[in-house]
Amino acid sequence: MNIILLGYPGSGKGTLAKDLSKTLDMVHVSTGDILRDEMAKKTPLGTEATSYMAGGRLVPDRLVMDMLKARLGTESRGLLFDGFPRTVAQAEALDAWFASRGQEIDAVVFLNVAESVVMARLGSRRTCTGCGKIYNVVSNPPAKEGVCDVCGKPLATREDDKVEVITRRIQVYKDQTEPLLAYYRASANFLEADGGKTPDAVTRDVLGLLRVKP
Ligand code: ADP
Ligand code: ZN
């Protein structure tokens, strides 16, 4: 099974993807996480991506596609895409790539959340610098302030979760990613979930939509 998660930055794709990929034994493909990993390792790709990401702009399609093909070329498990595709050009490139491998997209899950909600969530999001677990200082704080419950490492605000950058990411989503809703409504098994619920409820709803028993 191959699944695409769509929705605003802050709609809960990453949290849902971590849950679903465990339950369904799929590969969680977060292009944002992969790009941050390339940046941390200071690879040429990471270096090129840095200025786009810090400013809340999209990394060029070509870089993203090359990166994914290099990482996933030999993967045989199902793919759960989180944060990809983000442009119609990426969706078309994915279709072509899957066609060449005899694979298909089994479902596209749109996490529907109001813009005002994602703005608030992104501003209060904290990410573990050790294991990547996502917290929210308002709705889902760690037991001990600023420290990860799982691995004990410090939490940080992502560079692009700073207020100035959040506004640009929302606009980039509207301009470049939202057209994918129409693209996939027309071409794929398009499912929609209410992303305003708690993480557990969202996971349960999506498993129900996918007709998988939790
Ligand atoms: P969010 O969905 O919360 O914005 P991500 O971690 O998915 O967070 O993405 C962070 C940044 O990484 C984006 O703002 C963009 O610069 C870059 N990025 C991630 N995925 C893609 C992609 N598929 N195409 C282009 N840029 C991407
Ligand atoms: Zn951690």
Side-chain angles (χ1 to χ4, degrees):
M1 190 150 69
N2 296 302
I3 300 175
I4 292 171
L5 302 182
L6 282 182
Y8 270 117
S11 59
K13 299 187 299 293
T15 302
L16 172 66
K18 288 193 176 90
D19 266 9
L20 277 189
S21 58
K22 263 191 228 138
T23 308
L24 302 177
D25 189 28
M26 299 174 73
V27 189
H28 175 194
V29 185
S30 161
T31 41
D33 285 350
I34 299 174
L35 287 164
R36 280 184 288 275
D37 180 50
E38 299 273 345
M39 270 164 57
K41 289 183 183 145
K42 298 192 167 30
T43 64
L45 167 66
T47 308
E48 198 169 344
T50 303
S51 61
Y52 295 102
M53 290 180 70
R57 296 199 163 78
L58 295 185
V59 174
D61 294 331
R62 161 56 74 111
L63 286 182
V64 173
M65 288 314 299
D66 287 352
M67 167 182 96
L68 279 185
K69 288 180 181 174
R71 292 224 177 192
L72 300 174
T74 57
E75 181 59 60
S76 58
R77 282 181 297 164
L79 305 177
L80 177 58
F81 289 108
D82 154 19
F84 173 87
R86 247 180 164 93
T87 64
V88 170
Q90 290 179 14
E92 288 169 350
L94 178 64
D95 283 346
W97 187 50
F98 267 10
S100 74
R101 289 156 52 101
Q103 288 196 302
E104 54 184 26
I105 298 162
D106 298 277
V108 176
V109 179
F110 170 48
L111 280 184
N112 199 351
V113 187
E115 181 181 336
S116 57
V117 173
V118 300
M119 291 287 286
R121 279 187 189 170
L122 290 169
S124 48
R125 176 159 76 178
R126 300 291 180 275
T127 310
C128 174
T129 53
C131 70
K133 187 174 161 63
I134 301 161
Y135 294 86
N136 187 292
V137 290
V138 180
S139 62
N140 179 30
K144 182 162 176 245
E145 194 185 323
V147 179
C148 179
D149 293 341
V150 180
C151 73
K153 293 266 160 55
L155 307 184
T157 302
R158 248 169 58 181
E159 201 56 42
D160 59 346
D161 279 347
K162 310 239 157 93
V163 189
E164 323 79 77
V165 187
I166 291 173
T167 318
R168 164 138 349 102
R169 283 160 64 207
I170 299 285
Q171 194 56 45
V172 165
Y173 172 84
K174 287 185 189 169
D175 293 342
Q176 304 198 54
T177 307
E178 216 159 52
L180 289 176
L181 300 183
Y183 182 91
Y184 285 125
R185 272 202 174 97
S187 69
N189 174 25
F190 186 91
L191 308 170
E192 184 167 334
D194 177 0
K197 298 187 183 178
T198 63
D200 285 350
V202 173
T203 300
R204 216 177 311 122
D205 287 355
V206 170
L207 286 171
L209 289 169
L210 295 169
R211 297 176 197 288
V212 177
K213 297 219 171 59

